[in-house]
Amino acid sequence: MTERRPVTLITGASAGIGAALARTFARNGHELMLVARREQRLHELADEIVALGHRRPHCQPVDLVRHDAVEQVAAAMARFGLEPEIVVNNAGFGLLGPAATLGRDEQLAMVDVNVRALTGLSLAFVGALERRRGGILNVASVAAFLPGPNMAVYYATKAYVLSFSEALHWELRGRVRVTVLCPGPVPTEFQARAGFAGNPNPDLLTQSADQVAEAGYRALQQGRRRVVPGVANRVTTAIMRFLPRRLLLDSVGRYNRKRYGSIERNRSGDRDPAV
Ligand SMILES: NC(=O)c1ccc[n+]([C@@H]2O[C@H](COP(=O)([O-])OP(=O)(O)OC[C@H]3O[C@@H](n4cnc5c(N)ncnc54)[C@H](OP(=O)(O)O)[C@@H]3O)[C@@H](O)[C@H]2O)c1
């Protein structure tokens, strides 16, 4: 049997932080397999990476909402003769608004991508990761440290990613590196997808996708449990630990309410008013 080639698998590589992570891993000599729904975008990124003198990444369109997404990724890997030495679970999205008025199906799809697919892909390749002395980089958020009224399901998915990844770091220590990356605000397509009105995030907290990708890459190489990129974000998350929960709920709820501002959206199409 021919030996499979080791690659870094990156989900959500068609935009934002995922594309920046792909460039960072490629620059550091890793062969890549890129996953997202928009195949054309993946190929454009692959062309860009080749033009920079790196190996052509493998591209596989997969919708991570699908419950057979992990099997689809594994089958594509086998077809290409690859196996992961690093898994980067970056794909994810958020939705702004009160949970009871946002569409239920859309919020459950968020749980499928942010939680279900991330968990499946973290566990599916542990054998290969162990053999390759590789790692897992899971993308959470500073939102993981807080309850998030007006974006409740998103914050809860990120709290799960933080908790799960830290526990996995402990369970797999000495065998597989597991790092959780918790960025603050990063200008990407995330804001438009979530329904933000503009970008009211304080400049002090905002970082570029490249800065976040670099911080995540370095932390994984160093075998760190978690990384919050940017001094201001680290200070903010440290202070939050000492604040009463009720105060946090009030301030996050008001902050998120301001973010959707005057935008009127109706995502409640799939909501049953009787429930
Ligand atoms: N931007 C921020 O302020 C911020 C802050 C903290 C954490 N994060 C986290 O960082 C990660 C990347 O976000 P980003 O800011 O780079 O957002 P982005 O620019 O919107 O990119 C999101 C990526 O996820 C992919 N994705 C979404 N739904 C998918 C699905 N059903 N199946 C497969 N791929 C899917 C998208 O690809 P396709 O649409 O092509 O499928 C895209 O490549 C997310 O987990 C996000 O929660 C972002």
Side-chain angles (χ1 to χ4, degrees):
M1 200 174 88
T2 50
E3 162 114 23
R4 293 198 188 177
R5 282 203 319 287
V7 286
T8 295
L9 166 68
I10 304 181
T11 68
S14 61
I17 297 170
L21 282 162
R23 291 186 193 98
T24 304
F25 276 87
R27 200 168 48 246
N28 285 282
H30 298 260
E31 186 168 351
L32 307 178
M33 167 144 165
L34 309 176
V35 165
R37 288 166 304 178
R38 288 170 290 177
E39 189 176 9
Q40 182 58 30
R41 287 274 201 103
L42 296 179
H43 287 300
E44 284 163 15
L45 178 61
D47 290 343
E48 183 194 321
I49 286 172
V50 171
L52 290 170
H54 309 302
R55 268 173 298 183
R56 175 169 292 280
H58 304 265
C59 300
Q60 183 63 35
V62 178
D63 184 349
L64 295 171
V65 163
R66 291 181 52 127
H67 282 206
D68 64 351
V70 175
E71 288 72 24
Q72 279 192 32
V73 172
M77 288 251 168
R79 236 179 10 255
F80 292 138
L82 308 171
E83 73 176 9
E85 72 172 345
I86 295 174
V87 174
V88 181
N89 283 301
N90 160 80
F93 69 97
L95 293 171
L96 193 58
T101 63
L102 292 170
R104 199 164 53 210
D105 287 350
E106 229 183 336
Q107 292 182 91
L108 290 173
M110 197 197 317
V111 174
D112 283 333
V113 177
N114 297 10
V115 172
R116 193 178 197 284
L118 174 141
T119 307
L121 289 170
S122 296
L123 301 178
F125 304 108
V126 167
L129 302 180
E130 201 170 349
R131 250 185 298 112
R132 302 270 180 198
R133 308 204 65 74
I136 300 172
L137 179 63
N138 284 342
V139 181
S141 165
V142 293
F145 298 91
L146 295 159
N150 285 326
M151 218 172 168
V153 175
Y154 177 72
Y155 279 56
T157 64
K158 293 302 175 178
Y160 173 92
V161 176
L162 175 62
S163 170
F164 169 67
S165 307
E166 290 198 313
L168 204 58
H169 171 96
W170 190 91
E171 289 182 4
L172 298 178
R173 69 195 184 285
R175 294 151 56 201
V176 177
R177 283 167 284 141
V178 181
T179 299
V180 59
L181 170 62
C182 302
V186 183
T188 62
E189 295 174 12
F190 177 89
Q191 288 75 16
R193 171 80 180 89
F196 288 17
N199 181 17
N201 291 311
D203 282 348
L204 197 64
L205 302 180
T206 300
Q207 292 219 302
S208 71
D210 288 342
Q211 286 173 307
V212 166
E214 189 57 40
Y217 182 80
R218 250 184 292 120
L220 178 68
Q221 294 309 313
Q222 292 162 358
R224 288 174 57 190
R225 190 179 77 250
R226 91 175 168 217
V227 57
V228 179
V231 178
N233 287 312
R234 280 196 292 282
V235 171
T236 308
T237 50
I239 292 172
M240 280 177 331
R241 265 180 249 156
F242 301 102
L243 297 177
R245 205 72 169 167
R246 204 177 57 193
L247 181 68
L248 281 175
L249 280 162
D250 279 348
S251 23
V252 177
R254 283 209 203 91
Y255 175 68
N256 282 336
R257 177 70 187 80
K258 252 193 260 153
R259 298 213 275 197
Y260 61 88
S262 59
I263 284 189
E264 286 303 323
R265 290 175 312 145
N266 179 13
R267 291 181 192 266
S268 54
D270 60 349
R271 180 172 167 242
D272 179 356
V275 179

